[in-house]
Amino acid sequence: MFYLAQFFKALKIAPVRGGLFLISTFLLLISLGEMDALEKKYFHSENARMTGAYFYALISSKENNLAVARKLRVLPGVEQAITLSEKKIKLEVERLLGAFKKDLATELQDELHNELKNDLINLEFTGIKVVFQENITQRTQQLIRDYLSRLVGTDKVTLGPIKKPNEEFKKNAQLALFLKDWGIIGVVFLCVLFWFSSLQIFSKVIAKQSYLLEQFQRKKFVRIKILGVGPLLALAFGPLVMFIFGQPQEVNLLFFTGIACLGLMTQLRKSTWNT
Amino acid sequence: MYQQTSTDFSSNRPNRPNRPNRPNRPNRPNTLGATASNYFYLEDISLKFGNIPALSSIQLTIERGEILFITGASGAGKTTLLKVLAGHTKVDSGRVESPCFMRNGPFISEIFQDLRLMNKASCDDNLNISYDPALYAKKADFEQDKQELCRILGVSDRLHLKAQDANGGLKQKIAIIRSLLCKPDILIADEPTCSLDVENAKKIFDVLNLYNTKRGLTVVWASHNRDLVKQFTGRIVHLDGGKLVYSGHACFI
């Protein structure tokens, strides 16, 4: 309680530097404790590993495209099978029609609308984007397409041509892959750096205060005890915030405790008046 | 060869089982050269700053409950000697036995030459830093002590002033009160009355003398004003050029 009071006294003396220390401590805790959740939320990209050739398949919406995609994913040579919703496909059709001149588009839409009314063309499709692994043979690609046709039924599926991703897409995919692998680690590293810097800055604020307390009260290591209040507050109240993102990772909370202890150890030197 | 060791103050270790009485050896030096009644024991200590000798072959013992004045001209080595006693400075040669090197030893409080007050805080806040709940059963006890000391030294009406706005005398009194409020066993004061007139200096000595009598406070007081300390009771140690040239009571000078 004494050190908590001293911590808030120091916050009152230097609100900016103290606030920075407190914020950086919470950021470090959240970045470590919610590493997986943050990685999925901000650095996960479906394009990350999809640098191989791909094709689209339109499947009747009466079929369960999720089950089809699941079966495709376990096939050797398939990197990813992404389901496309009916709504998304309709939007794509509208986008394609929008590319025509306005009067022509209206004409086509009317035409399609009439045909839909007459039930001559059924546009109720869902889709699947099948991405192959890189460097697989054309024969394997063809076998996968045949499997899909047989699985759904040839009259219920329309397969698009096999396309290769362009260089720009590949570059983007490489960047996405890099971010997926290193993004969250970078964020945590920055949080650690930020925390250590703010610890040094705030430590200077409380140097004289802790020196006087050590001189005139029978107390020792006052500085690290006051600084230790920050991580303790974060550990006490941080998990409440962390549940917004999901279940905190307990092991990483231990890492946080370790880093906090390491940081505090750097402040283990005896306080002096001239620090 | 330089050695720093802590004196064995048996009375400060209440859990230690009592040894059988040794009637003929009450104050006899032990193997380290200190006795149970000594707080400090310096044996042939020397210290140089570069080529300049700050202390040369100092031999000094300070007993528990003693009032010791260290006098000497500016640059004689008074502050250096105090720093050695407080454990802030290591000596080049000789042996230092000081309670600052031991765990749970007597508590040393210091009055610094630069006073070390928090300038942006009020005088009252500067005094409150000494409030240790481990020493005072209630905050009211601390407040009572504080008010009493402030009243004696005549600063009660100026406690609201910020330390940076206080005059030299007020600052010095605040520093002295702050040191006394933490109920020390030993008080090391470096020129505590340099900004005060003789009357105020006497008042402060009276307070310290009272603490010495009532609570057994050991006082080590450095001052360049030899005439002033001659008026007080206590042992005077005179330094000249880093050498201890005299040790004795004022009445014999």
Side-chain angles (χ1 to χ4, degrees):
Chain A
M1 209 56 201
F2 171 79
Y3 295 105
L4 187 69
Q6 294 301 324
F7 181 81
F8 283 110
K9 204 183 267 184
L11 266 184
K12 213 173 158 185
I13 294 167
V16 176
R17 285 172 284 180
L20 269 178
F21 174 64
L22 210 54
I23 289 168
S24 68
T25 310
F26 272 86
L27 277 178
L28 180 63
L29 178 80
I30 291 168
S31 65
L32 274 168
E34 291 295 344
M35 212 167 163
D36 283 356
L38 292 173
E39 195 254 317
K40 273 181 194 159
K41 197 172 168 76
Y42 297 109
F43 297 104
H44 181 73
S45 172
E46 288 183 341
N47 295 337
R49 295 188 192 279
M50 294 188 293
T51 49
Y54 63 93
F55 69 93
Y56 286 100
L58 286 174
I59 302 168
S60 167
S61 59
K62 287 169 188 170
E63 295 296 318
N64 183 354
N65 67 338
L66 292 173
V68 174
R70 198 164 53 242
K71 283 177 182 170
L72 283 171
R73 276 186 210 120
V74 295
L75 284 182
V78 174
E79 179 67 47
Q80 186 59 281
I82 305 156
T83 55
L84 307 165
S85 67
E86 197 175 339
K87 194 180 165 188
K88 199 173 179 182
I89 287 171
K90 274 187 178 171
L91 278 172
E92 187 66 16
V93 170
E94 278 170 23
R95 191 185 66 78
L96 286 170
L97 289 174
F100 293 109
K101 283 180 181 174
K102 199 181 176 184
D103 49 343
L104 185 61
T106 319
E107 200 178 315
L108 257 170
Q109 271 180 339
D110 290 344
E111 186 76 16
L112 280 168
H113 192 67
N114 289 334
E115 284 186 2
L116 281 170
K117 256 188 177 176
N118 297 334
D119 216 19
L120 291 172
I121 297 176
N122 185 4
L123 267 182
E124 290 175 348
F125 284 115
T126 58
I128 294 178
K129 183 185 179 182
V130 181
V131 185
F132 299 118
Q133 286 173 354
E134 267 190 299
N135 306 322
I136 62 164
T137 59
Q138 280 189 342
R139 181 172 155 68
T140 314
Q141 290 175 356
Q142 196 53 50
L143 279 171
I144 290 166
R145 282 164 69 88
D146 289 348
Y147 173 78
L148 177 60
S149 299
R150 281 179 197 153
L151 184 68
V152 184
T154 45
D155 54 334
K156 291 175 186 168
V157 66
T158 309
L159 301 179
I162 295 172
K163 291 179 181 173
K164 284 184 178 173
N166 57 27
E167 284 303 310
E168 194 181 351
F169 181 86
K170 276 189 175 178
K171 274 182 186 170
N172 286 342
Q174 275 174 351
L175 181 68
L177 186 65
F178 178 79
L179 283 175
K180 185 179 156 60
D181 289 345
W182 294 100
I184 191 66
I185 293 168
V187 167
V188 169
F189 182 70
L190 284 177
C191 284
V192 171
L193 271 185
F194 180 34
W195 185 74
F196 267 92
S197 313
S198 64
L199 177 80
Q200 290 296 332
I201 292 166
F202 190 52
S203 172
K204 281 181 183 168
V205 173
I206 61 165
K208 285 190 175 177
Q209 187 185 347
S210 50
Y211 170 78
L212 289 174
L213 286 170
E214 283 174 15
Q215 279 293 322
F216 297 106
Q217 296 191 17
R218 287 156 176 80
K219 289 184 169 64
K220 283 177 181 170
F221 307 117
V222 173
R223 194 204 303 229
I224 61 165
K225 285 174 187 168
I226 295 175
L227 288 171
V229 170
L232 282 176
L233 280 177
L235 277 172
F237 296 106
L240 299 176
V241 182
M242 286 157 75
F243 274 107
I244 296 168
F245 298 99
Q247 177 82 22
Q249 292 168 265
E250 290 88 354
V251 179
N252 286 5
L253 292 184
L254 284 178
F255 271 120
F256 168 79
T257 313
I259 290 171
C261 288
L262 197 72
L264 294 176
M265 293 279 271
T266 62
Q267 305 298 319
L268 205 57
R269 62 186 178 272
K270 201 178 174 188
S271 301
T272 57
W273 181 250
N274 296 320
T275 43
Chain B
M1 196 184 135
Y2 167 63
Q3 265 184 302
Q4 276 182 320
T5 53
S6 54
T7 314
D8 177 18
F9 302 108
S10 55
S11 64
N12 290 310
R13 293 180 179 175
N15 296 330
R16 192 172 175 173
N18 289 331
R19 287 181 176 179
N21 285 336
R22 293 175 182 176
N24 296 328
R25 303 176 59 190
N27 274 339
R28 192 175 148 191
N30 63 17
T31 50
L32 294 173
T35 67
S37 63
N38 290 348
Y39 266 158
F40 298 96
Y41 179 76
L42 309 182
E43 187 183 277
D44 197 24
I45 62 156
S46 295
L47 175 64
K48 278 183 181 175
F49 294 124
N51 292 326
I52 305 158
L55 297 172
S56 304
S57 306
I58 302 277
Q59 183 85 28
L60 180 68
T61 305
I62 303 172
E63 293 196 354
R64 182 186 298 184
E66 190 178 3
I67 296 180
L68 180 86
F69 296 99
I70 299 170
T71 60
S74 296
K78 301 185 295 293
T79 302
T80 309
L81 182 58
L82 291 186
K83 282 182 180 172
V84 170
L85 291 172
H88 300 318
T89 303
K90 288 183 177 177
V91 293
D92 295 334
S93 63
R95 192 165 71 200
V96 179
E97 290 178 17
S98 165
C100 60
F101 303 127
M102 64 185 292
R103 259 188 190 182
N104 303 321
F107 185 69
I108 302 174
S109 180
E110 290 174 75
I111 299 167
F112 305 96
Q113 208 166 19
D114 57 355
L115 303 176
R116 300 188 182 177
L117 298 174
M118 292 188 291
N119 283 327
K120 287 181 183 172
S122 67
C123 293
D124 197 34
D125 287 340
N126 272 290
L127 295 181
N128 287 340
I129 204 108
S130 290
Y131 172 59
D132 189 346
L135 288 177
Y136 292 91
K138 287 178 284 180
K139 182 84 190 268
D141 295 344
F142 171 79
E143 287 295 329
Q144 196 184 340
D145 274 13
K146 186 172 80 178
Q147 293 306 328
E148 186 68 12
L149 281 168
C150 290
R151 190 186 58 76
I152 294 168
L153 296 181
V155 296
S156 298
D157 55 337
R158 285 175 290 166
L159 289 181
H160 63 280
L161 286 176
K162 281 191 175 181
Q164 62 193 11
D165 300 330
N167 59 46
L170 177 60
K171 279 184 187 174
Q172 207 140 35
K173 285 175 184 173
I174 293 296
I176 292 163
I177 297 169
R178 182 181 63 178
S179 295
L180 291 174
L181 281 173
C182 61
K183 294 184 179 175
D185 301 300
I186 302 162
L187 182 76
I188 294 179
D190 194 359
E191 307 269 9
T193 56
C194 64
S195 306
L196 299 174
D197 53 36
V198 179
E199 282 306 306
N200 275 304
K202 277 180 183 171
K203 237 186 233 181
I204 283 166
F205 177 75
D206 287 343
V207 172
L208 295 183
N209 205 15
L210 187 73
Y211 269 70
N212 171 260
T213 314
K214 295 272 182 190
R215 296 182 179 169
L217 174 72
T218 304
V219 180
V220 183
W221 177 321
S223 174
H224 62 270
N225 192 343
R226 205 174 167 193
D227 294 330
L228 174 77
V229 299
K230 267 186 200 172
Q231 300 172 35
F232 305 148
T233 49
R235 183 156 65 106
I236 296 175
V237 162
H238 189 72
L239 293 177
D240 188 13
K243 288 180 182 164
L244 198 155
V245 294
Y246 174 79
S247 173
H249 283 265
C251 55
F252 299 117
I253 295 177

